[in-house]
Amino acid sequence: MERLLHFTKYDMAEADLVALLESRGLVISDEAKAVRYLESIGYYRLSPYMYPFLMFVSLSS
């Protein structure tokens, strides 16, 4: 019998996701509106639109 995989990530509430995005530097002016968007659209459907706003650390030596 095949063993089931155990997932290490857990489900986050939308308010927690908004706090996570703010901790990563995203400026959110209306948190209640952001929570509603995450509830209706979803984090993973919105995340590609946030990609251009990410700041990457240069790995040049």
Side-chain angles (χ1 to χ4, degrees):
M1 182 174 207
E2 188 175 334
R3 292 180 54 173
L4 296 176
L5 296 175
H6 294 282
F7 295 103
T8 57
K9 293 187 177 184
Y10 54 92
D11 225 9
M12 292 180 73
E14 285 79 10
D16 295 334
L17 287 170
V18 169
L20 177 68
L21 291 171
E22 286 179 324
S23 74
R24 292 180 177 171
L26 186 65
V27 177
I28 299 173
S29 59
D30 187 355
E31 290 185 18
K33 193 174 189 179
V35 168
R36 285 195 310 270
Y37 280 133
L38 287 172
E39 287 173 346
S40 63
I41 299 170
Y43 175 79
Y44 290 104
R45 293 204 55 174
L46 283 176
S47 62
Y49 295 101
M50 293 181 258
Y51 192 76
F53 301 105
L54 292 175
M55 298 181 78
F56 294 100
V57 177
S58 175
L59 297 177
S60 61
S61 45

